[in-house]
Amino acid sequence: MTPEWVKDAVFYQIFPDRFRIGEGPPANPAPVHSGFEAWDAKPTLRGFKGGNLWGVIEKLDYIQEQGFNALYLCPIFSSTANHRYHTSDYFQVDPVLGGNTALHRLVEEAHQRDIRVVLDGVFNHCGRAHFAFQHLLENEAASPYRDWFHVYRFPLNAYSKHANYAAWWNNPELPKFNTANPECREYLLSVAEYWFKYGIDGWRLDVPNEIDDDNFWREFRRRVKAQNPQAYIVGEIWDDASRWLQGDQFDAVMNYPLGRAILGLVGGDTLDKDLAARSGLGRLESLGAMACNNRLEDLFGRYDWEAVTSQMNIMTSHDTPRIFSILRGSIERVQLAFAMLFTLPGVPTVYYGDEVGMAGGHDPDNRRGMLWDEALWQKPLMRTLQQMSSLRQSLPVLRYGRYHYLYGQDGHLAFARTHGQCSVVVTINASPESWRIDIPLHGVWPRGEQAVDLLSGKAGRCVGGYLEDGILEPFSLAVWQTQEQD
């Protein structure tokens, strides 16, 4: 079974170096460094801006007010990179981020607000500064850590373009672990266990497909669930994840295919396809309603329903351009995309800054310092996210309900979510023209019921098995529920 709390979650993804510079408590103030880039300056590949976990703590109330109740933090362990995927010490939160004390305080403060905390686990590779790789670099064949890595020959040439060892995407900065080695394997699994002492709620797994060993991930699950049976294990798998979602490895994956379907329908001709194509999103296509529905139904049919309702549904992240840029600054389309995200099966996930309308192209531009000038925030977008999160929390059917297609033509899509005796109908107008709704209900509701859009308060009618009379404005969405007639 997947963790029960996840189905009720709305995730907020934070890139710690770029979220906020916090001061820290007087007894343990955040370090002051002169080498940080200016917060508002264009980010560079190597530069640090100085965001830390104290800054996240200071903004937990903001996070909660926006409707988020779960955090997914990009890597936080000691590293020589601003993104911290170059881990040097897996048992030490980077001192620049506030160290282990800051994480302990963050988890405590988050849990007091009923906010969960999931860490990013980078177990396929480490950085060159990792103790085992440094030992190997100094001692070569004499090192007891030789078999922790995939060495081709000596010298390692660790600082050349063509290193003599396996590395992630042949990047010498990221030597790949040999997880077949029992000692290396035990070391990584002990890392996964260790941080539950701090009360974390799960792991997001970086490139888990590159550890091509199902037994490793089965053991990982056993060890993690022994620490916390309600821990969330979510893998970074960009496409079909059937292999990992059989109940013995991951609870869920980052559901980029669902995000691509939403962007395809909502974006239409506005999509910046070239921008997306040069990123992890790959080729984005403009989709009509039927094509979008077909993709969604395919996704919902691939996995057990437990996994479907636990998927980390995501449109953009630190690995993609920002949604505001992909949709070329069309705030109404961005609003509709997020509204749709909250009505589909799975767990909505929002990348920091997307809630205020931040722009951003390819890495590192998509990792700008968080925009804290409220005068520059897209307030309508923020209200949409708050409203959709509140609606999702108030309606169990939006968290647990099955998906049933009702209607699709051009930019008009309608579906029902059904859970037990409760059903709602979602209508989406992804076109620039108003849509007078007249859609078949296929037995979702009895005939003669009155209906109301829970977002706008507008009324509709159920006549002869059809929902009619509701007017949907361009690039908008309605969530219909029946009302008993007087």
Side-chain angles (χ1 to χ4, degrees):
M1 293 290 288
T2 57
E4 285 304 311
W5 65 266
V6 171
K7 302 173 184 66
D8 300 329
V10 179
F11 268 97
Y12 189 58
Q13 180 192 354
I14 292 178
F15 192 101
D17 185 65
R18 307 296 160 81
F19 186 65
R20 182 175 174 83
I21 301 175
E23 296 181 359
N28 190 14
V32 177
H33 295 277
S34 60
F36 290 146
E37 294 179 343
W39 191 260
D40 296 331
K42 184 176 180 179
T44 61
L45 193 64
R46 298 283 181 180
F48 288 75
K49 291 192 178 293
N52 55 38
L53 297 187
W54 300 118
V56 178
I57 294 169
E58 292 172 4
K59 286 299 181 179
L60 283 173
D61 288 341
Y62 163 86
I63 291 167
Q64 189 173 42
E65 289 165 3
Q66 304 316 306
F68 304 110
N69 59 11
L71 299 179
Y72 150 38
L73 302 176
C74 287
I76 61 172
F77 305 129
S78 291
S79 173
T80 55
N82 56 48
H83 48 73
R84 295 181 171 84
Y85 285 93
H86 296 50
T87 312
S88 55
D89 186 346
Y90 286 86
F91 291 96
Q92 173 66 53
V93 174
D94 200 312
V96 178
L97 293 180
N100 293 8
T101 300
L103 175 63
H104 191 269
R105 178 70 64 82
L106 171 57
V107 174
E108 282 187 338
E109 294 279 350
H111 284 178
Q112 288 175 12
R113 295 168 175 81
D114 293 322
I115 297 174
R116 305 281 183 156
V117 180
V118 171
L119 301 185
D120 203 329
V122 188
F123 300 120
N124 176 68
H125 52 263
C126 60
R128 287 179 297 210
H130 187 270
F131 80 90
F133 189 78
Q134 281 292 306
H135 199 287
L136 178 63
L137 194 60
E138 293 289 337
N139 297 289
E140 296 188 336
S143 172
Y145 299 105
R146 173 175 178 169
D147 290 337
W148 280 39
F149 302 94
H150 302 271
V151 177
Y152 302 145
R153 56 188 172 277
F154 295 105
L156 295 178
N157 292 341
Y159 292 88
S160 71
K161 290 183 179 179
H162 303 289
N164 290 324
Y165 52 87
W168 182 75
W169 284 30
N170 296 317
N171 181 348
E173 297 179 30
L174 298 169
K176 179 178 172 62
F177 283 120
N178 175 18
T179 53
N181 176 273
E183 294 174 351
C184 177
R185 195 183 190 95
E186 178 58 30
Y187 167 79
L188 295 173
L189 293 171
S190 70
V191 171
E193 292 175 313
Y194 178 80
W195 292 102
F196 285 98
K197 297 178 182 179
Y198 285 69
I200 68 167
D201 297 290
W203 288 101
R204 176 267 188 188
L205 302 172
D206 183 61
V207 295
N209 56 308
E210 299 198 22
I211 299 180
D212 191 18
D213 181 350
D214 291 350
N215 286 328
F216 177 86
W217 292 120
R218 291 186 182 107
E219 180 65 14
F220 181 94
R221 182 181 183 87
R222 285 193 292 270
R223 301 272 287 263
V224 163
K225 296 292 186 176
Q227 296 294 316
N228 179 1
Q230 285 292 304
Y232 185 42
I233 303 174
V234 55
E236 182 200 14
I237 304 294
W238 288 72
D239 293 297
D240 183 79
S242 300
R243 168 181 170 181
W244 296 277
L245 295 180
Q246 300 297 316
D248 60 347
Q249 296 182 60
F250 309 157
D251 295 312
V253 296
M254 299 176 77
N255 200 3
Y256 284 104
L258 180 138
R260 291 194 289 265
I262 293 175
L263 292 171
L265 174 65
V266 174
D269 294 336
T270 302
L271 281 175
D272 192 334
K273 299 177 183 178
D274 291 337
L275 182 65
R278 291 177 285 120
S279 75
L281 283 175
R283 183 170 173 263
L284 279 182
E285 301 176 86
S286 300
L287 298 175
M290 277 302 301
C292 177
N293 170 74
N294 290 342
R295 293 195 180 188
L296 293 174
E297 288 192 322
D298 175 65
L299 283 171
F300 303 147
R302 287 183 189 181
Y303 315 124
D304 182 85
W305 191 246
E306 275 287 312
V308 170
T309 54
S310 301
Q311 294 286 75
M312 182 179 272
N313 289 348
I314 192 164
M315 293 187 291
T316 57
S317 70
H318 67 292
D319 285 324
T320 76
R322 287 188 176 271
I323 187 171
F324 197 77
S325 295
I326 291 172
L327 297 179
R328 301 182 191 270
S330 173
I331 188 64
E332 59 187 0
R333 291 179 189 262
V334 176
Q335 286 178 266
L336 177 57
F338 275 119
M340 185 174 173
L341 182 73
F342 277 76
T343 64
L344 292 169
V347 183
T349 304
V350 178
Y351 183 43
Y352 84 97
D354 279 357
E355 79 277 12
V356 302
M358 284 178 60
H362 295 291
D363 176 14
D365 190 46
N366 58 348
R367 304 173 181 183
R368 301 180 191 181
M370 174 64 181
L371 186 63
W372 290 115
D373 184 349
E374 294 187 28
L376 301 177
W377 287 354
Q378 295 284 353
K379 299 292 182 64
L381 174 57
M382 299 178 75
R383 287 192 290 270
T384 294
L385 283 165
Q386 290 167 344
Q387 183 182 31
M388 294 307 301
S389 179
S390 177
L391 184 65
R392 186 176 186 274
Q393 293 303 325
S394 68
L395 291 177
V397 69
L398 286 181
R399 308 195 300 276
Y400 309 116
R402 297 275 180 171
Y403 174 97
H404 299 285
Y405 165 78
L406 297 176
Y407 177 87
Q409 185 172 343
D410 301 323
H412 305 150
L413 177 64
F415 56 86
R417 297 290 306 280
T418 302
H419 179 62
Q421 300 301 311
C422 181
S423 294
V424 295
V425 171
V426 178
T427 53
I428 298 167
N429 183 8
S431 78
E433 305 294 335
S434 297
W435 175 30
R436 180 177 290 277
I437 298 168
D438 186 7
I439 61 170
L441 290 171
H442 299 309
V444 172
W445 293 324
R447 298 184 180 188
E449 293 277 357
Q450 295 284 354
V452 63
D453 172 21
L454 298 174
L455 298 174
S456 69
K458 293 181 179 179
R461 296 187 305 157
C462 303
V463 179
Y466 283 75
L467 174 65
E468 61 181 39
D469 278 0
I471 302 295
L472 210 52
E473 300 301 321
F475 303 110
S476 66
L477 174 150
V479 179
W480 302 91
Q481 191 175 56
T482 58
Q483 289 186 328
E484 291 184 2
Q485 297 185 40
D486 295 333

